[in-house]
């Protein structure tokens, strides 16, 4: 469906002879809505026997458990899901902006830009929330295992993400923060890269094959 809607959009924009006649009646602003609508319909389709019902139920339960995992129990499933949320921050922001544009679709362009700008609190919240959940999960794991390492280093990674998100949100309004944003973005990127190489990918471990 995603491929079909992109193809239709390309045909409309390129105004390809003959072929464009078949899709000229489809409003281009409806195409993203078709993609999101199909995705949401699939995720929340309530009936059994079709569309991977068991998988949907598992997803719903996993999301619910993960939101409160730092209070009850945190295992790998919950860590994995919230970790995925931190990597999909840009995607979630795109979803929110898409909905915002549809909400103000009939408004003048300057009004849409104003209402759907990156200076809104929701833009910062989308970046803050997943990283804060991961910090709370790390603290819960430290409490349960009575071991600080390596969760203390993980907390640093997500804390840097939050600092970068806050600085990137405020520096357009307060240009004096731009230098701090650049420094913390550089540190955060290097730290996350080192974490991926060492901890997630399992490289650079001590042994006969080091490095």
């Amino acid at each position: 469906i995603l491929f079909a809607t992109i193809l239709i959009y390309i045909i409309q924009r390129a105004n390809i002879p003959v072929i464009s006649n078949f899709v000229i009646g489809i409003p281009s602003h409806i195409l993203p809505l078709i993609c999101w609508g199909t995705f949401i319909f699939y995720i929340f389709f309530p009936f059994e026997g079709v569309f991977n019902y068991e998988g949907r139920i598992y997803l719903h339960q996993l999301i619910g458990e993960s939101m409160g995992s730092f209070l009850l129990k945190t295992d790998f499933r919950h860590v994995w899901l919230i970790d995925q949320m931190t990597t999909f921050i840009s995607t979630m922001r795109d979803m929110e902006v898409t909905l915002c544009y549809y909400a103000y679709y009939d408004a003048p362009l300057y009004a849409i830009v104003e209402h759907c700008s990156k200076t809104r609190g929701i833009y910062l919240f989308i970046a803050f929330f997943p990283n804060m959940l991961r910090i709370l999960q790390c603290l819960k794991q430290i409490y349960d295992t009575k071991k600080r390492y390596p969760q203390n280093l993980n907390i640093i990674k997500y804390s840097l993400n939050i600092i970068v998100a806050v600085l990137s949100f405020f520096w357009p309004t307060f240009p004096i923060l731009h230098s701090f944003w650049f420094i913390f973005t550089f540190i955060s990127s290097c730290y996350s890269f080192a974490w991926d190489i060492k901890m997630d990918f399992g490289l650079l471990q001590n042994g006969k094959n080091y490095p």
Side-chain angles (χ1 to χ4, degrees):
I1 292 172
L2 176 63
F3 173 76
T5 53
I6 292 175
L7 188 62
I8 290 171
Y9 180 75
I10 292 173
I11 292 172
Q12 290 179 339
R13 288 296 300 268
N15 196 22
I16 301 174
V18 182
I19 300 178
S20 59
N21 294 334
F22 293 99
V23 298
I24 197 169
I26 303 176
S28 60
H29 65 275
I30 294 297
L31 298 176
L33 200 59
I34 292 173
C35 292
W36 284 118
T38 305
F39 174 71
I40 294 171
F41 176 79
Y42 170 79
I43 293 297
F44 295 104
F45 190 74
F47 302 109
E48 297 185 35
V50 290
F51 298 147
N52 186 24
Y53 177 77
E54 295 80 7
R56 291 200 309 280
I57 295 301
Y58 178 80
L59 175 63
H60 300 163
Q61 293 174 345
L62 180 58
I63 292 174
E65 292 175 7
S66 299
M67 291 298 123
S69 60
F70 62 93
L71 295 174
L72 303 172
K73 179 183 177 182
T74 299
D75 59 32
F76 178 77
R77 298 175 303 136
H78 310 128
V79 170
W80 179 86
L81 182 68
I82 304 303
D83 214 22
Q84 295 304 306
M85 285 182 62
T86 65
T87 64
F88 280 106
I89 286 173
S90 295
T91 303
M92 291 188 289
R93 281 174 165 173
D94 287 345
M95 292 173 62
E96 191 278 328
V97 170
T98 300
L99 293 173
C100 184
Y101 266 72
Y102 274 109
Y104 295 99
Y105 184 75
D106 292 328
L109 181 58
Y110 72 88
I112 296 176
V113 172
E114 179 181 349
H115 288 300
C116 304
S117 69
K118 297 180 180 180
T119 59
R120 295 167 300 133
I122 185 67
Y123 205 78
L124 176 59
F125 177 78
I126 291 173
F128 173 84
F129 182 68
N131 285 293
M132 193 67 236
L133 275 182
R134 279 298 291 123
I135 290 175
L136 293 174
Q137 285 182 336
C138 291
L139 291 172
K140 175 64 173 175
Q141 289 179 302
I142 291 174
Y143 177 81
D144 290 341
T145 62
K146 308 301 187 223
K147 296 179 180 179
R148 294 183 179 181
Y149 179 84
Q151 299 307 326
N152 53 350
L153 300 181
N154 224 353
I155 289 173
I156 294 175
K157 181 178 73 169
Y158 295 109
S159 298
L160 286 171
N161 289 346
I162 289 176
I163 293 172
V164 169
V166 171
L167 290 174
S168 66
F169 180 77
F170 283 107
W171 81 254
T173 306
F174 306 98
I176 193 174
L177 297 175
H178 184 266
S179 297
F180 295 98
W181 168 82
F182 181 85
I183 293 171
F184 276 98
T185 298
F186 180 79
I187 295 172
S188 177
S189 299
C190 292
Y191 193 98
S192 296
F193 181 73
W195 178 274
D196 287 343
I197 295 296
K198 176 76 173 178
M199 307 300 288
D200 289 348
F201 300 159
L203 302 175
L204 300 179
Q205 303 295 327
N206 293 328
K208 65 178 182 179
N209 295 319
Y210 184 87

